[in-house]
Amino acid sequence: METIRTRFAPSPTGHLHIGGARTALFNWLFARHHGGSFILRIENTDIQRSTEEYTRSILEAMEWLGLDWDEGPYFQTDRMEIYREYAEKLYKSGWAYYCECTPEEVEQMRKEAQAAGLKPRYNGRCRDKGLTPGPGRVLRFRSPQTGTTILNDLIKGPIEFDNSEFDDLVLIRSDGMPTYNFTVVVDDITMKISHVIRGDDHVNNTPKQILIYQALGEPLPRFAHVPMILGPDKKRLSKRHGATSVIAYRDMGYLPEAMVNYIARLGWSHGDQEIFSIQELIGKFSLENVSASASVFDTEKLRWLNGYYIRQKSPDELLPLLKPFLNKLNYPQKPDEYIKKAIATLQPRCATLEEMAEAMKFYMTDNFEYDGKGVKKFFTDQLRPLWRIIINEINSMSHFDEEKLEAFFRSLAEEKGIKLRNLAQPVRIALTGKTASPGLFEVMDILGKEEVVRRLERAYCLFDQQG
């Protein structure tokens, strides 16, 4: 039975974006579904652009998503001896040769080919010179000039490439650094990767890599190229469509469960099911159900899913997740039990933790502005004499709870012949600053009698503003 080994191999030249996260997730799910291994490899041979900060950010995003790895992280910069060993194999077997052409000369060759209506490429000047290693020389792959290479893709099906189209690609640069198409093959061979699942922007790299596998006499892994993710305008997802990094969504108050569920559904499906637990995803995931068509990233769908997961959690679970967002807004400290009660009233109304923290303002502080239109509409001369009755009655209550408060307000509205809404709305504005909030009597119960009375007293001045 085949041992399944997948890998995710990001370059630390930026934060982990949505497309990369989906690639990581599909590899992780495939490995977990088959009881295999998931390997994390950091492809950091681009010394100029790779940073420690981005490496940390990628690892942090992976951990936040819950995508644990069985091996790694391996760093390509620690594997230079291995690349040199495999480069030597190709050189000694005649599959690679040294080239002394300067970058300027190669560029001229490309321009001449293009001017002749051909594909811009290196013209093979040093192919048969028999050069040995030396300063300024690169090691090139001796690509076959005839025949075809077939990629049997698990998602896209068979794709045929004409070998005459391929350049003699550089394996080792003049500074001794190996190139992407070479290192990825060596890494996947030595790490015994069985399935390479990656974005379809790599399709054109794959036949070049297949030729290197064949030159080394190594068996091919199975390839599966996942279609790209598009923005709402059907163009490739980018910063112009909003946040693209996983960390940015975490910092906006999205939950990892929602993000994993959402990106799993970007190009993969299981019937009409929309909501999946992580165990369900592991159990149901297969490459057969990955679409060959591009997917559209829909922020509203992600918000809806995040709201669902927020509602599924208990206030106890949400409290530690919400606290960093509360601290960011510099609210006064409140007891945990108080905050948990407030959370329960806001769960049905908020799609993200950031929204919940902002909506929590009236629970945490009375430093808010009153809704001007609401004040004008509800703080009427008819209500003014009743305001003192409301304050006095609430102040005298020995049992202050939702049921007692609702009974009092209904009774007062009936006695005075006015709609309950015309009593409740100005009180809501006095307590929260808004005309919309969780249930009024629920809010009053959480704020407590003393705070409710204090806020009602403070709001009395709003009648004078109507003068």
Side-chain angles (χ1 to χ4, degrees), residues 44-246:
N44 62 340
T45 54
D46 185 345
I47 302 295
Q48 300 299 319
R49 296 170 59 225
S50 297
T51 70
E52 183 63 34
E53 177 195 353
Y54 286 135
T55 299
R56 283 196 305 270
S57 175
I58 290 168
L59 298 180
E60 197 177 317
M62 294 281 287
E63 288 167 357
W64 180 72
L65 291 168
L67 304 183
D68 56 326
W69 48 93
D70 303 298
E71 295 177 24
Y74 295 109
F75 292 85
Q76 287 187 327
T77 47
D78 296 335
R79 297 170 55 78
M80 291 300 165
E81 279 301 319
I82 299 171
Y83 305 135
R84 278 192 277 272
E85 176 191 331
Y86 275 80
E88 188 68 13
K89 280 185 187 178
L90 289 171
Y91 174 61
K92 285 184 173 175
S93 64
W95 277 105
Y97 63 92
Y98 283 95
C99 169
E100 62 185 357
C101 298
T102 66
E104 293 76 21
E105 288 172 327
V106 173
E107 182 58 29
Q108 185 59 35
M109 293 173 197
R110 294 181 188 280
K111 284 179 181 175
E112 288 170 2
Q114 200 163 18
L118 303 172
K119 190 171 181 179
R121 54 187 292 175
Y122 172 69
N123 68 10
R125 182 191 293 170
C126 295
R127 246 182 177 246
D128 300 312
K129 282 187 176 181
L131 297 174
T132 55
R137 293 178 180 176
V138 301
L139 183 68
R140 287 185 180 274
F141 182 66
R142 192 184 299 274
S143 183
Q145 296 179 307
T146 59
T148 58
T149 297
I150 297 173
L151 161 60
N152 289 304
D153 196 274
L154 294 173
I155 294 171
K156 295 179 175 294
I159 307 172
E160 188 171 304
F161 300 85
D162 189 334
N163 289 346
S164 65
E165 292 288 303
F166 299 139
D167 217 336
D168 282 1
L169 61 94
V170 173
L171 302 176
I172 305 290
R173 298 187 185 94
S174 59
D175 63 0
M177 291 301 286
T179 58
Y180 167 76
N181 279 307
F182 178 52
T183 59
V184 73
V185 170
V186 172
D187 287 339
D188 287 343
I189 290 170
T190 54
M191 295 176 189
K192 296 181 170 55
I193 300 302
S194 66
H195 290 73
V196 173
I197 305 167
R198 58 189 177 190
D200 66 1
D201 52 335
H202 286 289
V203 164
N204 288 333
N205 285 324
T206 306
K208 301 168 191 174
Q209 294 169 12
I210 288 173
L211 290 171
I212 297 174
Y213 275 101
Q214 292 171 342
L216 288 166
E218 296 286 350
L220 298 178
R222 302 298 304 277
F223 291 99
H225 289 89
V226 182
M228 68 176 65
I229 300 173
L230 307 177
D233 59 1
K234 303 296 191 293
K235 293 182 180 175
R236 185 167 183 164
L237 189 68
S238 66
K239 288 180 181 176
R240 70 175 177 275
H241 298 113
T244 59
S245 81
V246 170

Side-chain angles (χ1 to χ4, degrees), residues 273-287:
Q273 188 172 342
E274 291 286 352
I275 294 170
F276 297 84
S277 68
I278 197 67
Q279 288 308 316
E280 283 181 303
L281 286 173
I282 291 171
K284 297 177 188 300
F285 185 80
S286 71
L287 291 174

